[in-house]
Amino acid sequence: MTALPTQDIQRITRDDAAEVASRAYSQLLDLLERLDVDSWSTPTDCDGWDVADMAGHLIGAAKGNASRREMMRQGVHGKRRAKAFDGNALDALNDLQVRDHTHLSPAERIVALREVAPRAIRGRVRTGGLLRRLPVPLDPGGSSMDGLPSSVPMGFLMDVVYTRDVWLHTVDIEQATGVAADRSGDLGRIVVHDAVAEWLGRHGRAVRLELTGPGGGTFVQGTDGPGIEMDAIAWARTVSGRLPGQGLLAVPVLF
């Protein structure tokens, strides 16, 4: 496998963000449709959430992306309720998204997500101008990992992070239920490679990273750095905080 230096790693850009997001939602919906009824109550790696809660969060996030008014409603709630979540407004916002959809059956959750996903993608794509450059704060405390920046540009959230969120929650559901997602395409490679580029830039140290399995690749930064070899999905779960990581694997990536 050819080793990729940092500057040659493919990134998700505004030009291809909609296509990648659409593929992430399609993979998620395909998996949800293959779950049995009992799977929806299975706990996930996200504390306090079962599969149904995770789907409710994803529906709520998509609704916020589809409607500026809904985004504002959720954002205001998050700020008002942050104190109850160790000062973390995002945790409060996510909790609202889950609670907003507790009345839906599994089948209704699938229908709701399938209906809102295209509108969410359009809403993200039309985000432009000054709004894309607006810094979005990432509160410390709560579920936030140490080492993340204090804020990120809105455009980065719209183009990249929301898609990573859908992709990694699909992994969470796989891990919880034992039902495998369709990984026949290159979606995993696109998402993982983009996240690797962020991770390399965040720590800036020499390393040779060899990721195996779907989404894998070999990445080299600097010379004479340590070698890390692991499964690509396990790497994503580690740098997102799902699994414990030491050394450079403790450097977080925003998912």
Side-chain angles (χ1 to χ4, degrees):
M1 189 178 294
T2 302
L4 291 173
T6 306
Q7 66 271 16
D8 292 336
I9 301 174
Q10 181 180 354
R11 303 302 304 268
I12 297 172
T13 68
R14 189 176 183 183
D15 291 338
D16 58 14
E19 179 186 356
V20 179
S22 179
R23 292 169 64 182
Y25 275 121
S26 293
Q27 183 189 62
L28 169 65
L29 285 161
D30 173 75
L31 177 60
L32 293 178
E33 288 176 338
R34 291 187 283 112
L35 299 182
D36 60 30
V37 173
D38 291 339
S39 295
W40 288 81
S41 59
T42 305
T44 70
D45 283 337
C46 295
D47 289 344
W49 285 3
D50 60 17
V51 171
D53 294 330
M54 190 164 282
H57 153 65
L58 290 165
I59 295 166
K63 286 181 176 179
N65 289 331
S67 164
R68 295 287 181 263
R69 177 175 293 181
E70 175 63 13
M71 181 181 290
M72 287 291 295
R73 181 186 79 89
Q74 294 182 16
V76 168
H77 175 92
K79 290 183 181 299
R80 288 177 174 172
R81 292 286 297 157
K83 187 176 180 180
F85 292 84
D86 193 26
N88 193 303
L90 180 59
D91 285 351
L93 182 154
N94 288 342
D95 178 71
L96 174 67
Q97 293 168 345
V98 171
R99 290 189 291 104
D100 276 349
H101 302 96
T102 54
H103 63 286
L104 296 181
S105 69
E108 289 170 333
R109 290 170 196 262
I110 293 172
V111 170
L113 187 57
R114 186 176 296 281
E115 188 277 329
V116 74
R119 294 193 290 112
I121 296 170
R122 288 195 296 271
R124 287 161 57 183
V125 168
R126 72 170 180 258
T127 303
L130 293 176
L131 192 57
R132 290 183 61 83
R133 296 191 290 274
L134 185 71
V136 178
L138 300 178
D139 294 334
S143 65
S144 292
M145 296 177 66
D146 292 336
L148 287 173
S150 60
S151 67
V152 294
M154 176 72 79
F156 180 57
L157 289 178
M158 294 297 176
D159 295 346
V160 177
V161 175
Y162 283 119
T163 294
R164 289 182 185 171
D165 190 57
V166 172
W167 180 84
L168 192 56
H169 282 322
T170 302
V171 172
D172 293 331
I173 294 169
E174 283 185 299
Q175 295 292 322
T177 65
V179 180
D182 179 5
R183 302 202 176 277
S184 57
D186 63 351
L187 175 64
R189 177 187 62 78
I190 294 169
V191 174
V192 170
H193 286 210
D194 182 86
V196 167
E198 179 186 341
W199 177 75
L200 292 171
R202 192 173 300 285
H203 64 70
R205 293 168 58 185
V207 66
R208 180 182 178 89
L209 177 67
E210 297 187 40
L211 299 180
T212 59
T218 301
F219 312 89
V220 176
Q221 179 163 273
T223 57
D224 300 324
I228 298 174
E229 182 176 354
M230 63 191 304
D231 175 77
I233 290 175
W235 176 85
R237 294 180 69 209
T238 301
V239 298
S240 66
R242 267 73 166 173
L243 297 174
Q246 297 181 340
L248 291 180
L249 291 176
V251 176
V253 174
L254 188 60
F255 272 92

